[in-house]
């Protein structure tokens, strides 16, 4: 789940990150930051930061995050919402944590969707016979058993679709062909495309995969139906096949496809997992680190979000091994059912709403765990100033950048919009969307060295925020 902009030095810096479609990154100099004596207090944690980094990057914890992640991914692979394998993976993480002599673990049950794709085929019938690779989008309805055979209309955007008379769209398949700019700008064609097409009378919708790069690899993802609009089958196709159909369409050639898709959908029970390292002075106050444990059914969920899951698991483990106990409680949360709509996060916010005043700061890694560069921070200007001061301690690993965002993260955006300050991991993920929601999300995209840096950075930042004298202001 979510938006990083990187434009290659300013052109590859335009590859967003994950999950939250409304995110905008604004690199700010944070002018007028004056946090008084707190700056000197934060500076005193320099040796703490060095010790944690050394322990993880060069010491006894070196390679452990990668090793544990690889065992987890190799054991379970994909972990779709509502599946038994997801629940087995939750049990595994609980036992793995207990093996580290951390036993303050709670799970909270909730109802989650369990959508399973079945047969998925697209055949181009005209102007020539060709198989088209596809991935149905989350919760897509099925086609009739004989499939849907219809002509294709190719559009760049919703505005172009709106200008086409309904009678021209009726009975057709709409293919959205937006050029990837940022994830936040482009993902709307995946999430809203089926409804917009159905409103015009289309019988199915397709979307060019929301990605800047492809090796004929479709990218799946969540989409949202409207109960007041007929639900039509919807799928993503590869960039290459979208480009092919665009060329044919622009030449005035008729494109006819047969689409066959089947799926099932039901409700199951899953769990959020909460692991606490209790604070010594204010245990009721929380600094939360988190990642989601579920994944799509394609790939192995190594990058999205196995890496984020394991760097958040590592925080209490590393601090326990170092016998470091902050003043506030550090809570690691493994969110469930993120991919089908932040279901675990919404359930947590509702269940803990009366205690939300005790959340001092909330963090999430769901944008890759490549080399850390800093944090994308949401909250008040004073909150950002404090976090910016903390990030100065990470210049040695090139992780001192603060990115201002109104809604960082995917799951944590549910809590941040209630006024809780928080941050997502800002990392060198220029290639994140090459593999996002595809079969390519495997351990091959992960690096032991970069995971070490992320785990050390995540742990040290969480510890400082949980230990300094001042709460992060709202």
């Amino acid at each position: 789940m979510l938006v990083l902009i990187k434009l290659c030095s300013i052109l590859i810096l335009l590859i967003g990150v994950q999950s939250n479609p409304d995110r905008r990154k604004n690199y700010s100099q944070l002018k007028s930051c004056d946090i008084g004596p707190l700056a000197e207090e934060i500076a005193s944690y320099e040796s703490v930061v060095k010790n944690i980094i050394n322990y993880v990057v060069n010491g006894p914890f070196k390679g452990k995050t990668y090793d544990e992640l690889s065992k987890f991914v190799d054991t379970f692979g994909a972990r779709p919402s509502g599946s038994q394998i997801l629940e087995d993976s939750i049990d595994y993480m609980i036992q793995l944590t207990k093996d580290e002599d951390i036993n303050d673990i709670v799970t909270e049950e909730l109802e989650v969707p369990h959508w399973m794709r079945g047969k998925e085929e697209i055949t181009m019938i005209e102007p020539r016979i060709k198989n088209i690779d596809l991935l149905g989008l989350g919760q897509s309805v099925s086609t009739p058993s004989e499939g849907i055979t219809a002509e294709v209309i190719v559009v760049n955007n919703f505005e172009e679709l709106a200008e086409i008379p309904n009678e021209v769209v009726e009975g057709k398949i709409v293919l959205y062909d937006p050029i990837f700019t940022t994830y936040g700008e482009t993902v709307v064609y995946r999430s809203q495309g089926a409804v917009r097409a159905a409103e015009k009378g289309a019988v199915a919708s397709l979307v060019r995969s929301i990605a800047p790069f492809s090796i004929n690899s479709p990218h799946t993802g969540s989409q949202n139906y409207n109960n007041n609009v007929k639900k039509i089958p919807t799928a993503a196709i590869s960039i290459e096949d979208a480009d092919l159909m665009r060329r044919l369409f622009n030449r005035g050639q008729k494109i006819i496809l047969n689409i066959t898709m089947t799926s099932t959908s039901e409700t199951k029970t899953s769990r959020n997992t909460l692991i606490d390292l209790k604070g010594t002075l204010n245990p009721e106050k929380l600094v939360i680190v988190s990642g989601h444990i579920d994944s799509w059914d394609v790939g192995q969920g190594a990058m999205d979000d196995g890496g984020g899951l394991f760097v958040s698991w590592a925080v209490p483990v590393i601090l326990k091994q170092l016998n470091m106990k902050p003043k506030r409680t550090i809570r690691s949360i493994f969110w469930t059912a993120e991919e089908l709509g932040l279901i675990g996060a919404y359930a947590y916010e509702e269940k803990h709403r009366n205690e939300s005043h005790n959340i001092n700061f909330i963090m999430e890694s769901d944008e890759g765990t490549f080399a850390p560069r800093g944090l994308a921070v949401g909250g008040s200007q004073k909150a950002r100033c404090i976090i910016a001061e903390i990030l100065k301690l990470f210049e040695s690993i090139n992780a001192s950048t603060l990115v201002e965002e109104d809604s960082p993260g995917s799951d944590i955006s549910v809590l941040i919009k209630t006024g809780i300050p928080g941050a997502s991991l800002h990392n060198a993920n220029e290639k994140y969307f090459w593999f996002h929601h595809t079969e390519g999300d495997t351990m091959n995209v992960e690096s032991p060295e970069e995971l070490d840096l992320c785990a050390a950075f995540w742990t040290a930042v969480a510890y400082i925020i949980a230990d300094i004298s001042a709460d992060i202001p709202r």
Side-chain angles (χ1 to χ4, degrees):
M1 96 279 124
L2 132 219
V3 166
L4 178 313
I5 300 178
K6 268 204 165 212
L7 263 208
C8 204
S9 312
I10 296 201
L11 185 89
I12 299 187
L13 221 125
L14 207 94
I15 293 182
V17 192
Q18 106 105 14
S19 321
N20 187 337
D22 299 318
R23 300 171 55 176
R24 298 290 184 272
K25 289 199 168 183
N26 173 29
Y27 291 77
S28 169
Q29 299 302 311
L30 284 174
K31 297 174 182 177
S32 304
C33 267
D34 181 7
I35 60 173
L38 186 58
E40 186 175 345
E41 180 188 344
I42 290 170
S44 72
Y45 283 85
E46 181 179 7
S47 61
V48 170
V49 170
K50 287 181 179 177
N51 288 341
I52 292 173
I53 291 174
N54 186 59
Y55 185 79
V56 177
V57 174
N58 302 307
F61 212 80
K62 177 180 174 62
K64 186 174 176 64
T65 309
Y66 180 90
D67 290 343
E68 294 296 351
L69 172 61
S70 64
K71 284 188 283 187
F72 176 80
V73 168
D74 293 346
T75 299
F76 298 104
R79 306 168 300 278
S81 168
S83 66
Q84 183 58 48
I85 203 159
L86 172 61
E87 298 312 300
D88 292 344
S89 75
I90 293 171
D91 290 337
Y92 177 95
M93 291 303 298
I94 291 169
Q95 187 58 52
L96 186 67
T97 307
K98 289 180 177 178
D99 291 344
E100 297 292 338
D101 197 27
I102 297 174
N103 296 292
D104 199 338
I105 305 169
V106 173
T107 59
E108 297 178 348
E109 290 190 349
L110 60 141
E111 297 301 299
V112 302
H114 180 48
W115 177 82
M116 291 185 63
R117 73 181 75 245
K119 179 181 180 181
E120 294 185 336
E121 292 181 353
I122 297 180
T123 303
M124 180 189 289
I125 299 172
E126 293 185 26
R128 65 180 173 91
I129 301 296
K130 182 185 186 302
N131 292 328
I132 304 293
D133 289 325
L134 78 154
L135 283 174
L137 300 180
Q139 308 252 55
S140 174
V141 296
S142 301
T143 63
S145 57
E146 69 276 13
I148 292 172
T149 301
E151 186 178 348
V152 176
I153 294 176
V154 183
V155 298
N156 289 311
N157 50 50
F158 292 141
E159 292 73 22
E160 187 176 327
L161 177 64
E163 292 175 0
I164 303 174
N166 287 9
E167 56 268 26
V168 175
V169 180
E170 286 176 4
K172 305 289 200 316
I173 298 165
V174 171
L175 166 60
Y176 296 99
D177 185 39
I179 300 302
F180 183 92
T181 53
T182 70
Y183 188 71
E185 290 178 352
T186 318
V187 76
V188 292
Y189 297 101
R190 188 191 77 202
S191 61
Q192 302 174 27
V195 169
R196 298 290 190 96
E199 287 174 335
K200 302 282 287 186
V203 293
S205 72
L206 301 174
V207 64
R208 172 193 184 97
S209 284
I210 309 304
F213 176 82
S214 172
I215 307 178
N216 207 41
S217 48
H219 295 235
T220 191
S222 191
Q223 60 89 31
N224 305 312
Y225 284 127
N226 183 328
N227 289 331
N228 297 320
V229 178
K230 182 180 178 180
K231 296 178 181 179
I232 61 175
T234 182
I237 63 173
S238 71
I239 290 173
E240 291 87 341
D241 282 334
D243 285 343
L244 167 64
M245 284 192 259
R246 163 59 72 184
R247 293 193 298 272
L248 295 172
F249 187 78
N250 286 349
R251 293 181 194 129
Q253 293 180 267
K254 180 182 287 189
I255 306 167
I256 296 180
L257 302 179
N258 176 267
I259 301 176
T260 302
M261 294 171 59
T262 63
S263 63
T264 59
S265 184
E266 56 186 329
T267 300
K268 296 283 189 176
T269 300
S270 189
R271 297 161 286 170
N272 284 327
T273 307
L274 286 53
I275 299 167
D276 284 356
L277 184 70
K278 291 298 186 184
T280 58
L281 184 62
N282 302 112
E284 76 285 358
K285 294 184 178 181
L286 300 175
V287 172
I288 296 172
V289 293
S290 65
H292 68 85
I293 191 168
D294 66 303
S295 73
W296 280 105
D297 56 334
V298 294
Q300 298 173 7
M303 178 188 74
D304 184 18
D305 183 32
L309 167 71
F310 268 84
V311 298
S312 296
W313 168 81
V315 172
V317 173
I318 292 167
L319 294 176
K320 172 81 172 179
Q321 291 184 8
L322 289 171
N323 196 29
M324 296 175 64
K325 298 179 181 179
K327 297 180 181 70
R328 300 170 188 82
T329 294
I330 291 180
R331 171 171 291 174
S332 291
I333 299 181
F334 309 153
W335 309 106
T336 194
E338 184 271 347
E339 295 293 5
L340 286 178
L342 316 180
I343 310 299
Y346 279 109
Y348 181 89
E349 191 280 327
E350 182 178 4
K351 182 178 180 64
H352 295 271
R353 190 170 295 165
N354 293 337
E355 317 153 29
S356 63
H357 61 282
N358 279 328
I359 301 177
N360 185 43
F361 200 73
I362 188 165
M363 297 159 58
E364 177 179 29
S365 173
D366 186 19
E367 304 177 355
T369 42
F370 305 103
R373 293 290 177 257
L375 293 174
V377 184
S380 67
Q381 189 70 0
K382 185 68 176 291
R384 286 170 171 159
C385 285
I386 294 173
I387 301 303
E389 198 67 32
I390 293 171
L391 289 176
K392 290 179 182 179
L393 298 171
F394 296 91
E395 290 179 355
S396 66
I397 60 169
N398 195 27
S400 58
T401 298
L402 185 143
V403 179
E404 292 189 83
E405 285 195 14
D406 292 334
S407 182
S410 52
D411 290 289
I412 65 171
S413 66
V414 173
L415 289 96
I416 287 175
K417 70 183 181 183
T418 70
I420 296 167
S424 61
L425 178 64
H426 171 50
N427 65 118
N429 60 357
E430 293 88 351
K431 295 182 179 179
Y432 178 76
F433 284 109
W434 292 25
F435 309 104
H436 182 249
H437 294 181
T438 74
E439 292 287 2
D441 184 357
T442 68
M443 282 303 298
N444 292 63
V445 305
E446 296 291 338
S447 156
E449 294 78 17
E450 290 181 344
L451 275 168
D452 281 344
L453 285 170
C454 284
F457 173 74
W458 213 228
T459 301
V461 168
Y463 179 82
I464 296 169
I465 296 172
D467 198 61
I468 57 175
S469 59
D471 288 340
I472 304 298
R474 300 196 177 190

